[in-house]
Structure formats: structure tokens, C-alpha cells
Amino acid sequence: EIVLTQSPDTLSLSPGERATVSCRASQSVRGNYLAWHQQKPGQAPRLLISGASNRAPDIPDRFSGSGSETDFTLAISRLEPEDFAVYYCQQYGTSPWTFGQGTKVEI
Amino acid sequence: EVQLVESGGGLVQPGRSLRLSCATSGFTFDDYAMHWVRQPPGKGLEWVSGITWNSGTIAYADSVKGRFTVSRDNAKNSLHLQMNNLRPEDTAFYYCVKDRGPLHLGEFRFWGQGALVTVSA
């Protein structure tokens, strides 16, 4: 199975700053089928990005995804208070579908 | 509005069984593949099982293969997960998740709120 490794584990930033989360795959992700999900405390995850760079409906444009093959990035251009959460990358190019371990973006 | 509502969670002893259900609304259920994804409290996410729109393709994570069975009832817009021979490591929130389309694509478009299953003596 494809192992996804995110870095860093925790990102400590202030509102208004830029956040960058990395996701590295143990092998090439077929079709760049890489998604990013956001999870706030006590809530279910929510899809942010699919296909490495396509924002899901109603996701603000301060969220962007990039990358290909084995290296992917989620960027949040200017952090809003509601963006402090845990972010997971997930590949769906090769079954079984797998997730990264998560990156906590904290104040 | 898409809604996925899980039910059937609770406390169960090791070796016993439990059946989760997911009631859906707000979309044409039989147009979409569905999945179960779990998350141990305070930990990361793990895909458990997926089923295509017509139940033609069903897949399981190795960790649950032979113990869990996924099914769907398109007439009742519902998804189920029969969990047998439960182990303490199965303790987790179980999320019902809607795929992007009818096939087993793995693109997790919408998540339910989750049901907690606790396996303990």
C-alpha cells in the first residue's frame, strides 16, 4: 500500500500568516489522485482539495493544492481563526486508499 | 442538503458483534459508491471498506477482511457495516462517507458525523 508522510506534524502560526503542509508518497500517486481533508475538534473531516489542486465546492480560495507524483503541498495563504485544525492528505489512486498521519495547524 | 447519519455504535465486549447503519438523504443514493472510514479517538484516519452503487464491487482493508461485511439497501437509501469478532483495536469513530461517483473511486466527497464503537471487556 502507498504510505503518505506529512510534514510537519505540528505547525504553530498566527492568523494572517501563510501555512504550508507537505505530503510525500512512498510511490507515485496514480493520476495525481490526492486529496486534502480538514478536521476541526469534535467534527467530521471535510474535503478541501481533490485531484491534487481542485478545490471542493464552497472552499475559500485561500486554500490551494499543488504537486504531482510523490510530492504534494497544501497551502493556506492567510490563516483565518477557523483554519486552525488538523489536515490530512489522502491518496485514491491505488487501493487501499490511505491517509497521511495528519498535520495540526495551531495558534 | 446531503445528510449522512450513522447509528448503531456503542460499547461491546471483545469477540462480540455490532452492526452500524448510515441513513442518507439529499442525494440520489444509488448514483454513488459509499465507504466506511474509521478513526481511533485522538488518532488518524483509516479507510475500512467501500461498496459500489450496485454492490458489484466491494473492498475491505486487510485489518478487517473476514470479520466485517459492508452492504447497502438502495431502496431504503442506507449503508450498513456488520462487524463480527470485534477486537479492542477496532475501537474508533466510524464515518459513513460518500464517494464522487458510482464506482469505487476513493474520492471521499462528504462525511457523516460518525458513530463511536468501543470494544472493551
Side-chain angles (χ1 to χ4, degrees), chain B residues 11-39:
Chain B
L11 174 63
V12 62
Q13 293 178 329
R16 304 298 292 265
S17 299
L18 206 61
R19 187 180 191 236
L20 298 181
S21 295
C22 173
T24 76
S25 60
F27 65 103
T28 304
F29 182 67
D30 55 10
D31 278 350
Y32 294 90
M34 299 292 294
H35 303 266
W36 291 98
V37 175
R38 69 183 180 183
Q39 183 176 39

Side-chain angles (χ1 to χ4, degrees), chain B residues 8 25 27-28 38 41 44 46 49 53 78 88 91 94 111 121:
Chain B
S25 60
F27 65 103
T28 304
R38 69 183 180 183
E46 179 190 21
S49 181
W53 70 280
S78 61
T91 294
Y94 284 75
W111 299 66

Side-chain angles (χ1 to χ4, degrees), chain B residues 20 37-42 45 90-95 113-117:
Chain B
L20 298 181
V37 175
R38 69 183 180 183
Q39 183 176 39
L45 299 163
D90 295 320
T91 294
F93 290 93
Y94 284 75
Y95 295 102
Q113 285 304 302
L116 178 60
V117 173

Side-chain angles (χ1 to χ4, degrees), chain B residues 21-92:
Chain B
S21 295
C22 173
T24 76
S25 60
F27 65 103
T28 304
F29 182 67
D30 55 10
D31 278 350
Y32 294 90
M34 299 292 294
H35 303 266
W36 291 98
V37 175
R38 69 183 180 183
Q39 183 176 39
K43 297 190 177 180
L45 299 163
E46 179 190 21
W47 170 79
V48 172
S49 181
I51 184 169
T52 53
W53 70 280
N54 63 350
S55 305
T57 298
I58 290 175
Y60 299 97
D62 286 346
S63 57
V64 306
K65 201 172 292 183
R67 300 187 298 122
F68 289 12
T69 302
V70 65
S71 62
R72 64 189 294 158
D73 185 339
N74 286 349
K76 295 183 178 179
N77 298 328
S78 61
L79 177 72
H80 306 282
L81 185 67
Q82 177 67 42
M83 304 182 291
N84 297 333
N85 190 19
L86 282 161
R87 304 166 179 168
E89 55 265 35
D90 295 320
T91 294

Side-chain angles (χ1 to χ4, degrees), chain A residues 41-58:
Chain A
Q43 296 186 19
R46 175 177 72 149
L47 176 69
L48 296 177
I49 302 282
S50 62
S53 61
N54 303 307
R55 274 189 303 277
D58 299 327

Side-chain angles (χ1 to χ4, degrees), chain B residues 98-115:
Chain B
K98 173 179 169 286
D99 206 313
R100 177 169 65 89
L103 303 179
H104 183 56
L105 299 173
E107 186 174 328
F108 302 143
R109 278 270 163 185
F110 192 86
W111 299 66
Q113 285 304 302

Side-chain angles (χ1 to χ4, degrees), chain A residues 22-85:
Chain A
S22 172
C23 176
R24 178 159 289 179
S26 60
Q27 57 187 277
S28 184
V29 176
R30 183 181 68 87
N32 290 333
Y33 291 140
L34 192 287
W36 291 94
H37 303 270
Q38 176 195 63
Q39 187 176 32
K40 298 179 182 179
Q43 296 186 19
R46 175 177 72 149
L47 176 69
L48 296 177
I49 302 282
S50 62
S53 61
N54 303 307
R55 274 189 303 277
D58 299 327
I59 300 302
D61 60 8
R62 64 180 180 273
F63 291 92
S64 64
S66 62
S68 63
E69 296 191 17
T70 60
D71 288 290
F72 299 88
T73 300
L74 172 71
I76 311 171
S77 58
R78 295 170 309 279
L79 282 165
E80 297 286 342
E82 62 267 28
D83 299 336
F84 291 92

